[in-house]
């Protein structure tokens, strides 16, 4: 699984590694300079982080995992600031201090344990990937025992379906409460997701105030939305139109997949 996610870093850095970003726009000048509209090719019908195969809440900066992949494709801390294991089977993760969910609740080892238990119970693929047999929480320390010696276990926690959310909240499929720099303001399944900046984010306020993630499966429609300035950033423009878009003062960025 880790090898797969190394090849799609764009899923975890959507706002920063986007394909087709307009460089100048009269409409953009009328809009807040701290608000973006992003248009994607795959509709999202649920925001449940443990079931959503589009990994929407991680892409949108709403949810975070215990560890993440750096631009150098190395595992590095995220909600877990450090971890260790003496035998590759018994692991201790120290959950970062000072992190809160968007509802103000403190993120401790018990909250992380509950979220991972939900992911394992609801997703057979997560259960098979993590191979967890037992978890115990004590303050900010989460102890995990895997079913077997599993030295690559931390890399499996990169998977967006292990994103940490407050499981005590209702409507997780429509409004999950995560820990990221953005919180959900509205969601219309299959149409759009709107997020706004979480002012108390543990790693400092985001530069953007708001963002809209819209969905359209038609590549030409996404291209026209960019050209008409109805979208600031689009994902996967028509390949045959890339050169023409460059001529129209559009910035194109891509990553290998």
């Amino acid at each position: 699984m880790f090898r797969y996610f190394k090849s799609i870093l764009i899923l975890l850095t959507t706002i920063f590694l986007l394909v087709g970003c307009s460089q100048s726009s009269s409409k953009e000048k009328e809009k807040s300079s701290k608000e973006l509209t992003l248009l994607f090719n795959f509709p999202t019908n649920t925001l449940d982080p443990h079931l959503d195969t589009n990994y929407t809440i991680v892409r949108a900066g709403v949810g975070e995992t215990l560890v993440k992949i750096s631009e150098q494709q190395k595992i590095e801390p995220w909600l877990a600031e450090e971890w260790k294991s003496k035998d590759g089977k018994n692991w201790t993760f120290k959950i970062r201090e000072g992190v809160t969910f968007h509802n103000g609740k403190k993120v401790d080892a018990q909250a992380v344990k509950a979220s991972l238990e939900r992911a394992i119970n609801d997703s057979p693929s997560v259960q098979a990937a993590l191979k967890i047999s037992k978890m115990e929480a004590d303050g900010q320390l989460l102890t995990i025992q895997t079913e077997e010696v599993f030295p690559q276990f931390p890399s499996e926690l990169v998977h967006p379906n292990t994103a940490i959310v407050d499981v005590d909240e209702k409507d997780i499929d429509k409004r999950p409460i995560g820990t990221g720099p953005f919180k959900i303001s509205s969601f219309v399944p299959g149409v759009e997701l709107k997020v706004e900046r979480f002012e108390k984010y543990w790693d400092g306020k985001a530069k953007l105030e708001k963002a809209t993630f819209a969905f359209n499966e038609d590549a030409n429609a996404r291209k026209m939305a960019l050209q008409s300035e109805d979208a600031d950033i689009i994902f996967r423009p028509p390949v045959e139109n890339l050169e023409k878009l460059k001529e129209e003062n559009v910035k194109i960025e891509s990553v290998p997949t």
Side-chain angles (χ1 to χ4, degrees), residues 126-183:
V126 171
Q127 181 181 34
L130 298 185
K131 299 181 175 67
I132 293 176
S133 62
K134 183 172 64 173
M135 288 189 286
E136 295 181 0
D138 181 14
Q140 296 302 111
L141 296 180
L142 178 65
T143 302
I144 299 176
Q145 184 180 91
T146 54
E147 297 170 354
E148 58 193 44
V149 175
F150 193 12
Q152 67 270 36
F153 175 67
S155 68
E156 297 297 330
L157 295 171
V158 166
H159 198 303
N161 284 151
T162 67
I164 305 304
V165 294
D166 184 356
V167 300
D168 293 329
E169 290 284 346
K170 299 179 180 180
D171 298 326
I172 290 181
D173 61 326
K174 298 176 182 177
R175 191 179 287 267
I177 303 298
T179 62
F182 294 94
K183 59 183 181 180

Side-chain angles (χ1 to χ4, degrees), residues 21-89:
C21 179
S22 176
Q23 291 286 71
S24 61
S25 161
S26 58
K27 287 186 180 180
E28 187 176 346
K29 293 177 182 178
E30 296 173 1
K31 295 166 59 178
S32 166
S33 61
K34 296 184 178 181
E35 181 175 352
L36 287 177
T37 297
L38 306 94
L39 186 56
F40 293 94
N41 63 316
F42 31 72
T44 294
N45 294 308
T46 179
L47 295 182
D48 188 329
H50 304 147
L51 298 175
D52 179 16
T53 56
N54 290 333
Y55 317 131
T56 306
I57 76 162
V58 175
R59 293 169 62 92
V62 174
E64 299 170 308
T65 52
L66 290 182
V67 299
K68 61 180 179 178
I69 305 176
S70 70
E71 292 184 8
Q72 291 73 40
Q73 299 185 2
K74 303 293 185 182
I75 297 294
E76 62 181 25
W78 209 358
L79 291 181
E81 60 182 1
E82 60 183 49
W83 55 92
K84 61 183 179 180
S85 176
K86 293 182 179 180
D87 56 10
K89 184 176 181 180

Side-chain angles (χ1 to χ4, degrees), residues 15-16 34 99 103 105 130 134 147 151 202 206 217 237 257:
I15 291 178
F16 309 102
K34 296 184 178 181
V99 180
N103 57 11
K105 183 185 296 185
L130 298 185
K134 183 172 64 173
E147 297 170 354
W202 63 269
E217 297 181 79
T257 62

